Amino acid sequence: MLKSTDRIGRRNDRVRKRAPNACVRCRKQKIKCSGTVPCEQCKKRSVLCDFDARQQKVLVTQSYIADLEERAARPRRGSTDEDQETGPDDEEGHHEQDHGLSRPTTPQVTPPNDSGINIDVSRSPHSDIDQVHQNGLHSAPAADLRNPLDPVNSDAFTVNNGSKPYFLGVSSNWSFGRRVLRMVHSKTSEAPLSTAALLFEGSTYDLGWDGQRTSANVDSSVLPAADFAIYLIDAVKFHCGHLFHMFDETTFMHHFHKFYDEPSNQRTYPRLWYIHFLIILAFGKGFLVRAKNEKRPPGSELFVQAMKLLPDISYMYSDTVQSIELLCCAALYLQCLDNRSAAYNMIGQALRMAVEQGMHTDMRSLHLSESLVERNRETWWTVYVLDRQMTALMGVPMSLSDDDITAPLPSFAGSLAKQKALDIHIKLARANAAILQTVYGKTGGRSERFLASMKEALRTIAEAKDELNLFYSLNLHQPAGGISRLWATLHLFHHQTLILATRPLLYSFLQKRLEATRSLRVSSSSDARSLIRVCVSSAQQSLKLLETLQSQSLLGNFVPFDREATFSSSVVLSVAATVDPSLVKDRDSRLMTASSILDEMVSCGNRIADFQRRELDQLDFSLRRLQEFSSPAISNHQVQHENSDSVPSYSMAAADVQMDGRDQAMSHVDIGRLLDEWNSEDSLNGEQLLAVVDSLDYDQFNWPGVGEFDAWT
């Protein structure tokens, strides 16, 4: 049974608790405070350390409260010394509003009186300190700080060559690449991006079916012989069975043998099983048959036959578990063909049916057999993981909260390795959900909440990373040894989740890069650089891992996850190298690796990989044109420092202004010390990632476009 410690956002045991009496900054950043005055964290950053006594509980007598109420209700006559004392505060309050800043205020008491004067009883001995806190070192960033991929802030729609609109989902890999390409192309060509040769979901393959079910008769001519069918089923088990519950083997193979052993009784088999069987065979052909870049994918005739026989959702309750299993398989098959919308809706049907059947609960009952409960649990967590992944690939909000899920893990007949793999898979899927709900959610795009959301998401990913390394750590420096496809997939999922959490910041820097006349130098002292390095490192690690899988003939040429990781990682590295060349080492060799991976997928008949390869080529061409517009002198200066993360930073303003000494000191004392053993070429372990998380400071965070340019370039 899943323990409460597995919930999203919970810290593991080694994370220490805050001091009972924490300063304002440490309480705000959710980091440990030493409790001294000033505390160690504020002392290291040379910022004001404020212990807000208003947060402490005190005991007062009722007579004292009554006396305060009586004084508050007493009308003030004329100009008094008290009025003169509160006057400057009022002026300062207006001054704050004029500069777009705001600070929390306590309610003001407005007693009924003839003078109509509002009497402020909110002043405390700390009011003057709070004013310094707001107007001094801790000035807050602009209130309109948002995730740049938020649909509210950008053009969230595009159209294909036939003028059909497509929504650019906030977290979609496809939409991120399309936003970047459209933005860079518009800058370099001063013309809108032509969509004639670009990828749009659902347009790559043709199933040869119009969606009608008028011809729903069984066509046994599409079925393979029994021995070949077993070969196809085994291929599905090898390529997908380690990640997802595709079918219940005992029940599925029981009907399989009856179907082939007694041909005369084929009319008596369960109809839902037969539909499920056709989809599994279609998957097997997709894995094993090498297509010749045809519009119709391998196994499509089996899949179309299954869809023609699929009854309306209202008539799928004769065997709900079988129905949910086959809906999961159909959704994944559609995702493989880049029919993302159809896949998303199909898995949505499976999710709603599973919730309606109570699969998201513990399901302990005297009326349910142990084998049925086990099958339900395996089915539920497959629905859950697929729903989370497909939702992220669509870039739309989540449909079910994790707080409503109480289903425990299946036992897998005592297989600890299988149970642990599913546990980590679920945690990463939950991290994905947390990122969608916070970083890309309604509240996550607003000011301080955005950075806080990112910190919580990264902390969740770091905890999953520690477990992943503990159980199966990959050594990509020695690729000669065989690696597990299962654990390689989970490591890949981990890196792609990190990219999802951090690439909005990279997108912001690209926006500023397009406004500049040359490449930037992201400050080595800024929290922003740490986050971008996390993003770049995950992209590099993803391509390294995919290259290793390619060398061992383990690439997933049909399922979409390896292809998606290749595309998203390539876009990240291309953008990062354009923004600041020092962020990416050996950019060209990394992109050649990505091209080689996509080439192999294309050679296996994957038409989607062909479109994505061409799109990456077009993006690379546009970004190189952008670099040509840069000042040669500045570009040469950038190249000299390309392999260093600690050289001084320079301003994007006309006169290059070196960052001030205080920021440099902060870099060397904090982030530089915490991450001095980390090279962006290597993967961050959980402890290092937590160090990045704990070092992020909203008050000191330098966001592109907010404040002076020399504060972040």
Side-chain angles (χ1 to χ4, degrees):
M1 185 171 181
L2 288 176
K3 298 181 180 180
S4 60
T5 52
D6 289 333
R7 307 294 295 179
I8 291 181
R10 302 289 181 90
R11 300 190 182 186
N12 54 26
D13 293 338
R14 62 181 173 78
V15 178
R16 295 173 294 180
K17 297 181 179 179
R18 296 194 307 257
N21 184 25
C23 72
V24 172
R25 179 183 167 279
C26 291
R27 189 183 303 277
K28 188 177 183 181
Q29 296 299 315
K30 297 182 179 180
I31 59 179
K32 178 176 174 58
C33 181
S34 64
T36 58
V37 183
C39 76
E40 295 300 322
Q41 293 287 347
C42 293
K43 188 187 301 182
K44 285 191 296 184
R45 289 186 175 269
S46 302
V47 295
L48 179 66
C49 187
D50 177 17
F51 285 82
D52 192 349
R54 291 174 297 177
Q55 300 296 327
Q56 299 179 7
K57 295 180 180 180
V58 295
L59 296 176
V60 296
T61 63
Q62 289 186 347
S63 61
Y64 178 75
I65 296 176
D67 181 58
L68 288 178
E69 291 175 343
E70 181 181 352
R71 291 172 56 190
R74 187 182 306 140
R76 291 184 293 178
R77 305 182 184 279
S79 176
T80 66
D81 293 339
E82 187 178 11
D83 293 333
Q84 295 174 3
E85 289 179 4
T86 58
D89 272 348
D90 295 335
E91 292 176 4
E92 289 171 358
H94 290 299
H95 180 71
E96 287 177 349
Q97 293 176 2
D98 291 341
H99 285 75
L101 299 176
S102 61
R103 76 177 192 184
T105 58
T106 51
Q108 293 187 355
V109 180
T110 310
N113 57 65
D114 296 335
S115 65
I117 299 175
N118 293 342
I119 304 176
D120 184 4
V121 296
S122 64
R123 280 186 62 83
S124 74
H126 294 271
S127 296
D128 293 336
I129 297 177
D130 291 340
Q131 193 64 35
V132 173
H133 181 79
Q134 291 295 327
N135 292 338
L137 296 173
H138 288 247
S139 296
D144 61 349
L145 169 61
R146 297 189 65 90
N147 183 340
L149 299 176
D150 190 321
V152 176
N153 281 3
S154 59
D155 184 4
F157 289 88
T158 187
V159 294
N160 64 5
N161 216 34
S163 300
K164 178 183 177 180
Y166 286 83
F167 174 61
L168 293 171
V170 292
S171 62
S172 163
N173 291 333
W174 168 79
S175 73
F176 182 78
R178 187 58 48 84
R179 288 173 191 264
V180 170
L181 178 58
R182 186 172 64 179
M183 186 165 60
V184 177
H185 179 85
S186 177
K187 175 68 175 180
T188 57
S189 302
E190 298 183 352
L193 176 67
S194 172
T195 60
L198 297 178
L199 175 68
F200 286 91
E201 69 100 4
S203 63
T204 310
Y205 291 104
D206 181 10
L207 292 174
W209 177 48
D210 60 3
Q212 299 295 323
R213 293 192 176 121
T214 55
S215 173
N217 297 321
V218 174
D219 181 9
S220 59
S221 65
V222 300
L223 295 178
D227 54 352
F228 186 44
I230 291 177
Y231 179 53
L232 295 176
I233 293 171
D234 287 341
V236 175
K237 290 164 60 178
F238 174 78
H239 288 280
C240 285
H242 59 283
L243 279 176
F244 308 110
H245 171 78
M246 304 293 285
F247 55 85
D248 179 69
E249 187 162 3
T250 301
T251 306
F252 189 87
M253 296 309 295
H254 168 75
H255 290 299
F256 172 85
H257 290 299
K258 286 189 65 176
F259 182 83
Y260 276 98
D261 292 345
E262 303 175 16
S264 60
N265 295 329
Q266 288 186 5
R267 299 295 179 184
T268 64
Y269 56 81
R271 179 61 63 94
L272 288 175
W273 171 84
Y274 182 71
I275 297 170
H276 194 180
F277 174 54
L278 290 173
I279 299 174
I280 293 297
L281 294 180
F283 258 116
K285 282 197 170 184
F287 291 130
L288 296 177
V289 177
R290 185 177 289 264
K292 297 180 180 179
N293 202 26
E294 298 174 350
K295 284 282 287 184
R296 189 164 296 182
S300 60
E301 72 283 358
L302 295 162
F303 183 76
V304 169
Q305 175 74 359
M307 291 298 99
K308 287 181 178 180
L309 295 172
L310 186 68
D312 183 82
I313 193 74
S314 305
Y315 296 92
M316 295 180 68
Y317 285 89
S318 60
D319 189 339
T320 53
V321 184
Q322 183 97 62
S323 297
I324 295 169
E325 288 171 342
L326 73 87
L327 286 173
C328 286
C329 293
L332 185 55
Y333 187 86
L334 289 167
Q335 188 74 45
C336 293
L337 305 186
D338 199 40
N339 286 346
R340 292 181 291 112
S341 296
Y344 172 72
N345 282 282
M346 188 77 74
I347 198 63
Q349 287 186 332
L351 178 70
R352 287 183 177 274
M353 183 178 283
V355 171
E356 185 269 334
Q357 292 293 305
M359 289 187 180
H360 63 297
T361 67
D362 196 345
M363 295 194 74
R364 294 181 185 271
S365 172
L366 296 176
H367 304 288
L368 300 176
S369 66
E370 185 177 343
S371 60
L372 179 60
V373 171
E374 177 76 4
R375 183 180 177 185
N376 273 271
R377 288 173 180 171
E378 292 185 31
T379 303
W380 163 253
W381 287 116
T382 290
V383 173
Y384 174 87
V385 172
L386 284 175
D387 175 69
R388 282 346 191 206
Q389 290 181 313
M390 291 181 183
T391 300
L393 291 174
M394 282 295 293
V396 295
M398 306 304 315
S399 57
L400 180 69
S401 171
D402 284 319
D403 293 334
D404 298 322
I405 300 172
T406 58
L409 290 176
S411 64
F412 294 117
S415 174
L416 179 62
K418 210 170 180 183
Q419 192 174 47
K420 176 52 66 174
L422 178 60
D423 184 29
I424 295 174
H425 202 181
I426 291 169
K427 286 180 179 178
L428 290 172
R430 281 177 171 166
N432 244 19
I435 293 167
L436 294 183
Q437 292 172 325
T438 55
V439 175
Y440 293 91
K442 182 179 179 181
T443 59
R446 290 207 305 266
S447 300
E448 183 174 358
R449 181 58 185 159
F450 177 75
L451 187 61
S453 300
M454 186 178 290
K455 290 177 68 171
E456 289 303 313
L458 291 174
R459 185 172 286 111
T460 302
I461 300 170
E463 294 169 1
K465 175 66 171 179
D466 274 342
E467 289 191 45
L468 190 55
N469 282 340
L470 179 64
F471 205 80
Y472 197 96
S473 180
L474 293 179
N475 185 3
L476 300 182
H477 297 291
Q478 296 178 350
I483 63 174
S484 164
R485 176 68 245 206
L486 166 61
W487 293 102
T489 301
L490 293 179
H491 277 277
L492 198 62
F493 191 12
H494 157 76
H495 288 302
Q496 291 302 301
T497 304
L498 276 177
I499 290 175
L500 183 67
T502 53
R503 71 183 176 195
L505 182 59
L506 183 62
Y507 188 82
S508 291
F509 275 94
L510 177 63
Q511 289 176 320
K512 300 310 297 181
R513 169 65 182 90
L514 295 179
E515 297 173 6
T517 58
R518 57 179 172 83
S519 297
L520 311 176
R521 171 66 184 173
V522 184
S523 172
S524 59
S525 71
S526 69
D527 294 339
R529 187 176 185 87
S530 295
L531 288 176
I532 291 180
R533 287 184 66 201
V534 168
C535 187
V536 169
S537 175
S538 288
Q540 292 173 324
Q541 289 297 307
S542 293
L543 291 179
K544 277 187 178 181
L545 180 51
L546 288 163
E547 185 178 28
T548 303
L549 292 172
Q550 181 186 22
S551 69
Q552 299 184 17
S553 301
L554 290 174
L555 269 182
N557 295 317
F558 187 66
V559 288
F561 307 115
D562 288 357
R563 175 177 49 77
E564 288 284 345
T566 304
F567 179 76
S568 67
S569 299
S570 301
V571 173
V572 163
L573 294 181
S574 295
V575 171
T578 302
V579 169
D580 181 349
S582 70
L583 288 168
V584 183
K585 300 176 182 178
D586 300 326
R587 167 185 177 271
D588 290 341
S589 65
R590 292 283 178 263
L591 295 183
M592 286 178 62
T593 297
S595 181
S596 172
I597 292 168
L598 293 176
D599 282 343
E600 179 168 326
M601 294 180 180
V602 172
S603 69
C604 294
N606 194 317
R607 293 171 55 87
I608 308 165
D610 189 27
F611 275 102
Q612 289 185 322
R613 180 188 57 183
R614 286 185 281 171
E615 195 161 317
L616 287 172
D617 289 341
Q618 188 172 354
L619 175 61
D620 183 62
F621 174 77
S622 296
L623 290 173
R624 290 185 187 277
R625 286 194 63 189
L626 180 66
Q627 293 292 74
E628 291 174 2
F629 299 155
S630 303
S631 168
I634 298 299
S635 296
N636 291 336
H637 174 77
Q638 297 284 354
V639 171
Q640 292 174 7
H641 297 286
E642 185 168 343
N643 295 323
S644 172
D645 270 330
S646 60
V647 298
S649 305
Y650 292 88
S651 171
M652 198 176 78
D656 289 343
V657 180
Q658 192 170 350
M659 67 178 183
D660 61 51
R662 183 175 63 85
D663 284 344
Q664 286 190 18
M666 287 165 48
S667 171
H668 292 300
V669 171
D670 295 323
I671 300 176
R673 179 177 57 82
L674 292 169
L675 304 177
D676 56 356
E677 297 180 355
W678 174 46
N679 185 305
S680 295
E681 294 286 297
D682 299 324
S683 177
L684 278 169
N685 59 37
E687 185 176 1
Q688 290 170 322
L689 185 54
L690 281 174
V692 173
V693 173
D694 290 335
S695 70
L696 298 180
D697 186 347
Y698 177 74
D699 290 324
Q700 302 293 333
F701 191 79
N702 298 315
W703 190 271
V706 178
E708 297 297 328
F709 288 147
D710 59 62
W712 61 273
T713 58

